[in-house]
Amino acid sequence: MADTATKPRTVKFIITRRDRPEAAPYTEEFEIPYRPNMNVISALMEIQRNPVKADGTKTTPVVWESNCLEEVCGACSMVINGKPRQACSALVDKLEQPIRLEPMSTFPVVRDLVINRERMFQALKKVKAWIPIDGTYDLGPGPRMAESKRQWAYELSKCMTCGVCLEACPNVNDRNSFIGPAPISQVRLFNAHPTGEMNAHERLEALMDDGGIEGCGNSQNCVRSCPKGIPLTTSIAAINRDTTKHMFKKWLTS
Amino acid sequence: MSGNSYLPRKLHSLLGVIPLGLFFIEHALTNYSAFEGGLEGFNRSVNFLHQLPLVFFLELILIWLPILFHGVYGLYIAYQSNLNTGRFQYGRNWAFALQRISGVITFIFVIWHVWETRIQVALGNTTYEELGAHMHEIFTNPAYIVIYVIGVIAASFHFANGLWAFLVSWGITIGPRAQRVSSNICMGIFVIVAVLFLLSLVAFSGDEFASAAAAAGSASIG
Ligand code: SF4
Ligand code: FES
């Protein structure tokens, strides 16, 4: 009992930082007071309040991004102890120390842990990941979706474009134009929708374009990494089937 | 990259199975005849093949052109991949990395192996009848044995794991259970084909092919 009062518990962090997008990365170590139930975001908030390194010298606060703090927005994705995941759901008690934080450098790094996930939103535009219902008149309620289908489609709809699956994928890199796993799964989601299905061919053709689904090399890291448990490899294989069928159909009917 | 990569990638996947995969199995069986039927069995198999009608065109269309495309495009695919097995040590990620590594090894090995055998026949330095003896001579050099062992294991893995990926890329195996079952089957195929080749290596370096080599040697001296 006596020695519990001797030294306050602390948490060690090693953070990969970068001042500007084109600047070289460097690491800094921090040692911050432990509080029960803290997560990586609350630790970063502590560093923000008191930007002092482990060696006692002052530094600039570490910059990161977060919004929902409940693992639904995807903004706080970073590489924590080697694995890409959300900082807000990364509990310090469950992490090995020192805790290493790095930006997901598959994406352009803006500063410190902040990355630019623009390519993911571009990808969703490219594959038309929406249901076109706008018109000049009321289109009516549209066909109903079978409940059995709705159940698995709902799982796919949980994607928060967090980028973890792209970070984990060995084929998403600057030598490869592969669009990444998430948008492929979104094509499956919107093609499963009874109204979305009416434009299914447009989404399939977007994935048969350069950098589309053929870029998948089946490492299956994505499905192991997705924080939402989305069956990405099942989606990819299902869309492989759909694009293959579409290819033959186009050959034989045009 | 300009242009559409969907079709070339699809073609790459298809050629790996048809015709190259089929040829690879045929090759394993022909070689195995050396182990099972000895020199005579091997010669019978070789003769059967090179006496096929239009054999030159069959070779060109079913073997040479597909290998060239599959190999060169495959190098490009390997170049486009990162290997991140350090961070993600999952079985399938290892298979992904090994597929690319074994592909590069196999391509280099195949070029060398074709030079050593088929091209030597074409150049008239050996004949189909002397092929068994020729193989034995190659295997008197331990370095070549090592190269062949590595080559056939890499090629067998690349074929079997490529078959698994083909089933996914063409949308045949979709769910996790189907992909797990096909993975087990393909790893079984890997072991079987690799063993067939390794047994033929044993046969080629064995006594029967040694005496054939000696006979061929004295024949060419005499
Ligand atoms: S599929 Fe999963 S890992 Fe990929 S972006 Fe969506 S939520 Fe993130
Ligand atoms: S802050 Fe939204 S996922 Fe972490």
Side-chain angles (χ1 to χ4, degrees):
Chain A
M1 285 305 285
D3 56 347
T4 50
T6 47
K7 203 174 158 228
R9 247 180 101 183
T10 59
V11 190
K12 278 206 179 77
F13 279 88
I14 301 177
I15 304 180
T16 300
R17 309 193 55 181
R18 188 186 311 218
D19 298 337
R20 285 182 313 281
E22 63 289 354
Y26 57 93
T27 58
E28 279 185 358
E29 292 185 26
F30 296 88
E31 196 165 344
I32 60 168
Y34 173 85
R35 274 177 294 121
N37 300 326
M38 72 195 299
N39 62 21
V40 168
I41 299 284
S42 67
L44 286 167
M45 286 171 163
E46 178 59 36
I47 294 172
Q48 188 181 42
R49 268 191 295 274
N50 181 28
V52 174
K53 290 189 278 182
D55 62 11
T57 54
K58 245 184 118 58
T59 182
T60 49
V62 177
V63 182
W64 80 95
E65 227 180 4
S66 62
N67 285 305
C68 69
L69 301 181
E70 54 177 356
E71 204 185 78
V72 290
C73 77
C76 66
S77 308
M78 59 183 73
V79 178
I80 301 173
N81 284 349
K83 289 279 193 309
R85 55 183 297 190
Q86 278 67 52
C88 65
S89 56
L91 300 176
V92 163
D93 287 335
K94 294 200 176 150
L95 292 170
E96 200 179 298
Q97 287 192 40
I99 298 168
R100 290 168 191 276
L101 305 182
E102 297 158 69
M104 296 202 306
S105 47
T106 296
F107 298 87
V109 178
V110 179
R111 183 173 172 180
D112 292 345
L113 301 168
V114 179
I115 53 161
N116 181 351
R117 287 178 296 137
E118 178 69 24
R119 64 167 288 166
M120 296 200 70
F121 309 119
Q122 290 302 339
L124 291 177
K125 285 188 209 165
K126 178 169 177 176
V127 302
K128 303 191 190 212
W130 57 76
I131 311 285
I133 51 165
D134 291 340
T136 50
Y137 60 95
D138 183 359
L139 294 171
R144 274 183 66 87
M145 190 178 213
E147 173 58 18
S148 55
K149 200 182 204 183
R150 188 201 61 76
Q151 283 183 3
W152 63 254
Y154 178 66
E155 295 304 317
L156 307 189
S157 75
K158 288 180 182 169
C159 175
M160 52 186 176
T161 44
C162 72
V164 161
C165 54
L166 276 77
E167 174 74 16
C169 177
N171 271 3
V172 175
N173 60 54
D174 44 17
R175 274 165 284 120
N176 199 320
S177 54
F178 180 40
I179 198 164
I184 299 176
S185 188
Q186 291 304 296
V187 167
R188 180 162 172 243
L189 170 66
F190 287 99
N191 281 3
H193 188 282
T195 305
E197 196 189 343
M198 297 172 186
N199 301 72
H201 62 285
E202 292 179 12
R203 299 190 193 92
L204 294 180
E205 276 165 23
L207 286 180
M208 293 161 78
D209 206 4
D210 186 42
I213 193 168
E214 43 75 28
C216 172
N218 299 304
S219 83
Q220 305 208 334
N221 288 349
C222 55
V223 75
R224 306 287 294 260
S225 306
C226 174
K228 293 286 148 187
I230 294 172
L232 289 161
T233 48
T234 306
S235 287
I236 292 171
I239 296 298
N240 269 327
R241 173 177 288 181
D242 292 347
T243 51
T244 304
K245 275 194 203 157
H246 189 68
M247 173 180 76
F248 284 119
K249 200 176 120 197
K250 264 181 84 178
W251 279 352
L252 298 174
T253 53
S254 65
Chain B
M1 214 191 102
S2 63
N4 189 339
S5 46
Y6 185 78
L7 284 178
R9 188 72 178 78
K10 212 79 181 165
L11 184 64
H12 175 267
S13 172
L14 178 68
L15 290 179
V17 178
I18 305 166
L20 294 180
L22 293 176
F23 168 69
F24 186 64
I25 290 191
E26 179 280 312
H27 194 332
L29 293 174
T30 306
N31 275 23
Y32 181 68
S33 64
F35 183 80
E36 202 187 48
L39 183 58
E40 200 188 319
F42 179 68
N43 281 341
R44 214 180 311 120
S45 304
V46 172
N47 272 329
F48 166 75
L49 283 177
H50 82 89
Q51 283 169 356
L52 285 175
L54 294 177
V55 68
F56 176 77
F57 291 100
L58 288 181
E59 278 187 327
L60 183 73
I61 291 171
L62 297 181
I63 308 176
W64 305 131
L65 292 179
I67 283 189
L68 202 63
F69 179 81
H70 190 86
V72 172
Y73 198 74
L75 289 179
Y76 177 64
I77 292 174
Y79 160 77
Q80 283 190 309
S81 301
N82 280 344
L83 303 184
N84 60 8
T85 43
R87 265 166 83 198
F88 302 95
Q89 305 193 350
Y90 310 131
R92 279 259 63 94
N93 196 32
W94 274 107
F96 171 92
L98 288 175
Q99 184 68 2
R100 279 140 187 83
I101 295 167
S102 65
V104 174
I105 294 176
T106 304
F107 193 41
I108 296 169
F109 171 72
V110 163
I111 292 171
W112 176 74
H113 168 64
V114 167
W115 165 256
E116 283 270 287
T117 54
R118 182 64 183 84
I119 294 187
Q120 294 309 314
V121 173
L123 293 176
N125 294 339
T126 186
T127 64
Y128 283 118
E129 288 70 30
E130 290 169 8
L131 214 50
H134 183 67
M135 290 315 294
H136 181 80
E137 267 163 44
I138 292 174
F139 286 123
T140 49
N141 185 337
Y144 285 172
I145 297 183
V146 173
I147 291 176
Y148 263 90
V149 169
I150 294 173
V152 297
I153 289 177
S156 305
F157 176 82
H158 190 79
F159 161 66
N161 190 54
L163 187 61
W164 176 85
F166 166 86
L167 293 174
V168 178
S169 299
W170 283 77
I172 297 166
T173 48
I174 291 187
R177 189 201 55 88
Q179 293 183 0
R180 201 168 43 244
V181 171
S182 70
S183 169
N184 292 340
I185 294 174
C186 288
M187 284 308 108
I189 293 177
F190 162 53
V191 172
I192 292 170
V193 178
V195 166
L196 287 182
F197 273 114
L198 291 175
L199 288 178
S200 70
L201 298 191
V202 171
F204 286 143
S205 35
D207 286 345
E208 192 177 347
F209 281 80
S211 41
S218 58
S220 62
I221 293 165

